[in-house]
Amino acid sequence: MEAIIQEISTFLQKGRAKNVKTLVQQALDEGVNPKEILNDGLLAGMMVVGEKFKNNQVFVPEVLVAARAMSAGIAILEPKLVEVGNEPLGKAVIGTVKGDLHDIGKNLVIMMLKGAGFEIHDIGVDVEASAFIDKAEEIGADIIGMSALLTTTMPNMQEVMDVLNERGLRDKYIVMIGGAPVNESFAEQIGADYYTPDAATCAEVAKKAVQERKKG
Ligand code: B1M
């Protein structure tokens, strides 16, 4: 692996946002593939932080500064990773479910969906079940996308499905879910249409799903 990628990962782990920003820009200038910078630099660094967090070797403040460094790096990469088309392919409402403040994965998903040509309405983190549906109704969305990073907040995805069913709106939307603790069988269990494991797959699947639905 290139030394600069390793350095990006190391500075991210230390929460040094300025260094991460500078190095990401430098790597791009040197012609390093943006996906490599994202996967082997930023995401790999965050995985190390996650492991240390799990083992009580670092704590919330350290994780928070690492997350800020990650976001700073992603902001530099965004224009390279996203090539937005002209025609909006569809509209999507995306948020992190109630009780959950993790937004890095959600923001990556948003970035990739924008790149695939979707108009995105980001409703943020810690979102009430009804807010997903109210926003989808307001803007005429095709997709409702939910992210959850905590095992304790996964059930709040079920709540969104329940409210959709109660309001008789279940079939109106393509429902997509994701996040580290979520999987295919959980999606089946709650009656969501798609689980996808990462942002790129989410964008691919979203594109296909909307195109199929528009064909009838
Ligand atoms: Co949190 N945290 N955290 N944390 N945190 C985890 C998730 C944890 C696994 C760490 C650990 O123990 N190893 C653990 C959860 C354990 C569990 O429930 N199983 C945990 C915990 C316990 C907590 C707190 C409870 C800690 C505490 O306060 N004691 C607390 C909860 C706060 C809350 O939400 N109410 C907390 C707080 C935080 C910070 C605020 C400090 C910070 C978040 C900052 C932020 O997001 N702005 C944070 C972070 C950074 C993490 C880790 C280290 C990294 C998460 C991350 O950003 N990963 C995380 C450990 C880990 O995941 N290894 C951890 C990078 C990101 C790109 O990946 O979000 O998985 P991810 O997104 C992926 C895919 O999942 C997918 O695409 C993305 C990439 O392509 N994806 C989707 C995501 N959403 C999708 C939606 C889709 C499709 C795909 O369709 C719509």
Side-chain angles (χ1 to χ4, degrees):
M1 193 198 297
E2 302 196 37
I4 193 160
I5 300 281
Q6 186 55 54
E7 263 187 281
I8 290 170
S9 166
T10 306
F11 277 120
L12 182 137
Q13 291 167 47
K14 292 180 180 162
R16 305 263 288 271
K18 268 193 188 162
N19 298 82
V20 169
K21 252 168 112 171
T22 309
L23 283 169
V24 168
Q25 187 58 59
Q26 193 185 321
L28 285 175
D29 295 343
E30 286 172 12
V32 182
N33 183 328
K35 280 190 186 151
E36 196 185 328
I37 302 174
L38 178 66
N39 293 326
D40 301 337
L42 299 173
L43 289 175
M46 189 52 96
M47 285 302 290
V48 175
V49 175
E51 262 316 290
K52 287 189 174 167
F53 188 34
K54 192 167 80 186
N55 300 325
N56 294 319
Q57 292 167 292
V58 298
F59 301 95
V60 170
E62 288 100 319
V63 182
L64 206 48
V65 286
R68 285 200 192 120
M70 170 105 187
S71 300
I74 287 176
I76 305 284
L77 280 184
E78 182 166 0
K80 299 285 170 195
L81 289 169
V82 176
E83 285 166 30
V84 185
N86 308 327
E87 275 292 290
L89 187 66
K91 296 182 187 179
V93 170
I94 311 282
T96 303
V97 295
K98 183 80 195 146
D100 200 322
L101 302 174
H102 296 85
D103 68 356
I104 296 172
K106 168 185 72 67
N107 294 341
L108 273 179
V109 165
I110 287 174
M111 219 168 85
M112 293 296 173
L113 283 170
K114 279 186 184 166
F118 283 92
E119 179 184 314
I120 301 297
H121 294 259
D122 178 4
I123 50 172
V125 296
D126 190 18
V127 179
E128 292 282 354
S130 57
F132 280 93
I133 298 147
D134 292 344
K135 182 52 91 178
E137 287 285 282
E138 180 195 323
I139 62 134
D142 302 283
I143 295 178
I144 293 178
M146 296 180 256
S147 180
L149 262 289
L150 300 171
T151 44
T152 49
T153 58
M154 285 166 64
N156 298 334
M157 291 179 158
Q158 172 80 68
E159 212 180 302
V160 174
M161 302 309 296
D162 291 345
V163 179
L164 272 175
N165 284 316
E166 279 159 23
R167 294 198 196 170
L169 295 171
R170 172 61 193 96
D171 295 334
K172 195 169 169 187
Y173 300 106
I174 298 163
V175 180
M176 303 188 68
I177 64 168
V182 181
N183 57 31
E184 189 92 52
S185 71
F186 181 71
E188 267 171 41
Q189 186 192 314
I190 67 169
D193 296 302
Y194 299 100
Y195 155 77
T196 53
D198 57 63
T201 315
C202 179
E204 260 169 50
V205 171
K207 201 169 171 175
K208 270 193 207 143
V210 166
Q211 282 167 342
E212 268 166 32
R213 191 171 270 217
K214 285 190 174 161
K215 264 192 244 155

